[in-house]
């Protein structure tokens, strides 16, 4: 009977209070905003920027929406653990609440993690920003000394530690207490593995457990949205420049904003062709570029996130088959393990599986073999400074009918900027002129757009150097093809200079990967009294090909490359890698240096 | 030999000029930005906002990217006309150049269009903003008086006119010259139909033709990007409030920003499940909410846009079949024509066709019939003030197995906000409290987020009223279900009050649509001496059902609705509609009023 009663009430209230209410309300609207409207509005009377039409962009909203849209659908699977989006949202609210009310975290504080891809790390990608804090995900491969350095640099107030890494973390905290005068070291929170039946590890008496936070916190917590979309959401220490730490102790802490994280999440979802409710398999560590922004992006689309304990070809095939995985991100070294896996580790794919691959240029042969196995390969490129993915090799239908050789040559190009950026170009770093699109002229790859970092924390000089000229200078060398697709030739520091000639290590590696015996390869410069440097190949052989000799491999390269580009020495053995699967060339350079001159 | 020469040059230049260059460069970087960094950066030394990491969001970038990514792929088809993305980009550059260099358009100027969905209207969605100007798309159904009023209100400097509408436009310009003291009326540019073989219409001597602009303009034009992402990109006069024009001459000019257009384009692409290179059929007029932002969104994904001369079920089926259409946006009245089309007009669908429908609440029966025919229906809701699409009924897999009755009842809900908004809620408009999620309590639907308009041009009071309380008040009445999905019950002004009871016209219409004889129906209040108002149904019957009587229909409703909600009178005949297919209830209300009291 009285369903519309309020309408009558409203009309009444409007009629009687209109004048005095209006003035009060409107002044509130107009003063509520921190940024003044743009110049152009001066000639456009009637426009207002207020809470109704201006909310700082943030990926936090993705989770809030998914908690409604996909409430009872699975958000995350880890072993026998399984959560729904409704539960994930509630768990994140509780952790944000505990951080705020029990661990004393204030907006702008840094909260660190030191862990593999546990479900808790997924949750912290929301819970930490929801507390107004900044997430700093440390590489799980670091040692105590490095963790200690980075905790000091980031000034983290809390550190969440994977129980498997507890000893390293405790070592780091010990070191930290020795070198700093700080009276309060970061609070330690231990992540025990709830999916395991084995007894929990011994948690230090001064530490918390994640589950304690969940029971302390309240899911009635009011999420702290950023005041500005430019507020930092996370800090990522670069892995690409990790070697710098070893020599100069100069960590580069890349800062991401809420705005950039929102935009890169959506751009990555779009380039990955992620429709609603995909099933996403995590092989990329979330501590690397915040997992290419896909903890946030997968929430936007209501994905089911499959976290696994150990990345192996067998685990990948098992999980694809079990959970009907639709999308997966993987670095080239893992691809290499997949294509070289034993048939007993494989399972038939339930359907085409979309694979993003990036982190280092993937060998074309590996891309081709993955496609043969039923994966659809989407080659992305970017740096920690570009929130991970920045370009992809946007595929053109006319390429489908190309001969295989041509097909995979194109597929391994880095391509074009995604929808979150404005441009990626290859430029002469001195004149800032674009190189001609001839596929030959080398220049430096540069980025512009809203998914470029806010800067390097506490290193204004490095930030300014990186942004010199109004573009982000990647340090990667590349060419631009006729169709404007870019292709990386090498990292600046990986170029080998031999007798005045510049050699792209990537080009030599591509030839090495086409040798039937080669599982993995990396080429660096070896000091040479005569040539300055000569190319030295480090090679891992496939099982059953142990008979291959260095001479044979050198001969193979000489048939396929200009003489000066072919390796002069070959070293067999396992290659050192970062946790994200990148081959650590600086270690190989050290080894080559130790070998001395060839002549 | 000298491929990496510049590297040596660079090292040299860096070495020698580093110090003095740095200071110059960095001061440029730091001063180049108009907005100061946020408060939170004060505690985070090292961050910089500059051209490298801050470019105003704008959909212009979508076209620039597609001109590279999809250069040789078809961008647009219209009859026998066909362009590629490379050509579309070049044509837009030329038109932007001609607007700037030959027609004297400056940044911030308004450029109007008055046309059906010609290819040129698609291009002007880019060319006008690329000239820094603001696009104002007038409804092709307007008469000279209305066009004249809106040209005066918008102060348009140029008007692009469909050759079919030339007489109306000339009438408008004549009227304009009578009422204004302006010495320079808008420049007239005629859009001739290049796909037709018939002779061109007579173009007035003081007018241009679009093709002249193309030959005048240069594709070397340097696109003017907005200075701020809050700069206006377009003006849309509301159709929902068009009736106001008739009585109060108070047009509401909704202003969209580059930022909002960018965000709504991507959000709509995502909710529409538009992957790369879809084929999009235009039945929604681009002059309505800028075609739900899909001229921009379709460019983001490199779509092929199919424009058609006349929207009819036959044309829709023919084009779907011919061009293998994958996606389509359609208003409910067109859906109704599709499901009631004769079998001779139909063709088998080549695959599932994704259909967005919105503009008014679609009758559940129509949604069900469309799904039976092989379309996948995605129900969206929004207003001109929310850039068109603002919510959709995000589908849950568990609903697939529901009984049909239940299935289409849920499908016709308006659902949840999309990824560009922060929230849509149903609130008591006085207390601003959210209504309980009980599916019963009625409140006003309100929006918050970055895809809410910048305001009503030259009507600050109306803007402030719409944003009162920090939410955009839609004027629509709805409920919230247990799962937080919203459902519209009626427009505020369409509610019928009968004997103190409030009747949702939408609920009565849903029952009418379930009657086998009813093709279309609309219910309004008819003045009544005793009850105040009684529900009066205006009904169009299906072919072959002309025998149906008013009494029979009233009886049908009384079996399915509370007595007071059933229509007391039924009027047969065609229903008046807006160009976007919305039934014009204000005309029906006038008719009902003219009928006088029933008792």
């Amino acid at each position: 009977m009285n369903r519309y009663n309020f309408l009558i009430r409203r009309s009444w209230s409007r009629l009687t209070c209109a004048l005095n209410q209006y003035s009060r309300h409107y002044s509130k609207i107009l003063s509520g905003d921190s940024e003044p409207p743009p110049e152009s509005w001066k000639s456009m009377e009637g426009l207002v920027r207020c809470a109704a039409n201006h909310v700082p962009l943030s990926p936090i909203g993705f989770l809030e929406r998914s908690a409604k849209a996909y409430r009872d659908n699975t958000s995350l699977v880890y072993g026998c653990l399984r959560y729904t989006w409704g539960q994930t949202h509630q768990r994140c609210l509780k952790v944000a609440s505990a951080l705020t009310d029990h661990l004393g975290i204030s907006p702008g504080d840094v909260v660190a993690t030191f862990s593999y891809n546990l479900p808790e790390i997924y949750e912290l990608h929301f819970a930490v920003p929801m507390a107004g804090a900044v997430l700093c995900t440390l590489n799980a491969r670091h040692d105590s000394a490095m963790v200690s350095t980075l905790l000091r640099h980031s000034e983290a107030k809390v550190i969440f530690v994977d129980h498997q890494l507890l000893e390293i973390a405790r070592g780091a905290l010990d070191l930290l207490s020795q070198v700093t005068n700080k009276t309060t070291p970061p609070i330690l929170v231990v992540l025990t593995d709830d999916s395991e039946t084995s007894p929990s590890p011994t948690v230090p008496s001064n530490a918390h457990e994640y589950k304690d936070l969940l029971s302390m916190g309240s899911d009635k917590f009011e999420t702290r949205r950023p005041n500005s979309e430019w507020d930092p959401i996370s800090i990522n220490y670069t892995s690409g420049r990790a070697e710098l730490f070893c020599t100069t102790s100069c960590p580069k802490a890349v800062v991401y904003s809420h705005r950039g994280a929102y935009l890169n999440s959506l751009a990555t979802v779009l380039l990955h062709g992620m429709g609603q409710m995909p099933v996403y398999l995590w092989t990329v560590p979330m501590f690397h570029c915040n997992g290419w922004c896909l903890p946030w992006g997968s929430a936007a689309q209501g994905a089911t996130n499959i976290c696994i304990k150990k990345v192996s070809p067998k685990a990948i095939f098992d999980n694809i088959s079990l959970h009907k995985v639709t999308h997966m991100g993987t670095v080239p070294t893992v691809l290499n393990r997949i294509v070289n896996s034993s048939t007993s580790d494989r399972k038939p794919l339930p359907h085409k599986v979309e694979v993003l691959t990036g982190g280092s240029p993937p060998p074309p042969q590996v891309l081709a073999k993955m496609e043969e196995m039923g994966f659809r390969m989407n080659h992305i490129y970017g740096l920690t400074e570009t929130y991970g993915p920045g370009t992809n090799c946007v595929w053109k239908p006319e390429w489908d009918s190309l001969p295989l050789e041509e097909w995979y040559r194109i597929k391994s190009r880095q391509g074009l900027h995604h929808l979150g950026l404005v441009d990626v170009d290859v430029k002469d770093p001195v004149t800032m002129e674009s190189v001609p699109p001839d596929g030959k002229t080398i220049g430096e790859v540069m980025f512009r757009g809203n998914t470029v970092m806010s800067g390097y924390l506490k290193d204004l000089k490095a930030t300014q150097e990186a942004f010199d000229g109004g573009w982000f200078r990647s340090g990667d060398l590349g060419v631009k093809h006729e169709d404007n697709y870019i292709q990386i030739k090498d990292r600046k520091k990986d170029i080998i200079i031999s007798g005045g000639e510049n050699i792209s290590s990537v080009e030599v590696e591509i030839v090495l990967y086409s040798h039937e015996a080669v599982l993995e390869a990396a080429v660096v410069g070896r000091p040479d009294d005569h040539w300055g440097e000569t190319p030295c190949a480090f090679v891992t052989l496939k099982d059953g090909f142990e008979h291959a000799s260095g001479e044979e491999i050198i001969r193979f390269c000489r048939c396929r490359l200009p003489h000066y580009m072919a390796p002069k020495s070959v070293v067999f053995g396992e290659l050192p890698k970062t946790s994200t699967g990148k081959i650590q060339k600086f270690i190989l350079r050290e080894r080559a240096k130790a070998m001395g001159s060839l002549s």
Side-chain angles (χ1 to χ4, degrees), chain A residues 75-96:
Chain A
S75 54
L76 194 145
V77 178
Y78 180 69
C80 51
L81 270 186
R82 187 178 277 265
Y83 299 118
T84 64
W85 282 107
Q87 289 170 329
T88 295
H89 184 224
Q90 286 189 322
R91 288 170 62 90
C92 291
L93 283 168
K94 285 179 184 173
V95 173

Side-chain angles (χ1 to χ4, degrees), chain A residues 146 149-150 153 242-252 459:
Chain A
M146 181 60 85
T149 303
L150 301 185
H153 185 266
E243 66 201 85
L244 289 175
F245 300 157
C246 310
T247 51
T248 67
S249 292
C250 171
K252 293 274 187 299
D459 197 344

Side-chain angles (χ1 to χ4, degrees), chain A residues 490 493-498 503 505 509 522-528 532-538 569 585-596:
Chain A
D490 223 335
K493 61 178 183 295
D494 292 339
I495 283 278
I496 301 159
I497 303 173
S498 185
I503 300 168
S505 62
E509 287 155 13
V523 177
V524 298
R526 174 178 173 182
D528 191 279
E533 278 183 320
T534 57
C536 174
F538 288 81
S569 36
K585 285 201 175 171
F586 70 101
I587 294 179
L588 297 178
R589 262 195 293 273
E590 290 300 316
R591 287 189 196 160
K593 203 169 156 188
M595 286 157 67

Side-chain angles (χ1 to χ4, degrees), chain A residues 213-228:
Chain A
L213 265 59
L214 283 168
S215 52
M216 279 189 254
S218 159
D219 59 10
K220 302 286 173 289
F221 179 74
E222 198 169 324
T223 293
R224 288 174 168 168
R225 284 206 155 250
N227 286 321
S228 157

Side-chain angles (χ1 to χ4, degrees), chain A residues 550-564:
Chain A
E551 292 71 37
E552 185 191 325
I553 285 173
I554 290 172
R555 240 187 346 263
F556 179 85
C557 292
R558 285 195 179 160
C559 295
R560 288 161 180 82
L561 285 169
H563 195 281
Y564 73 95

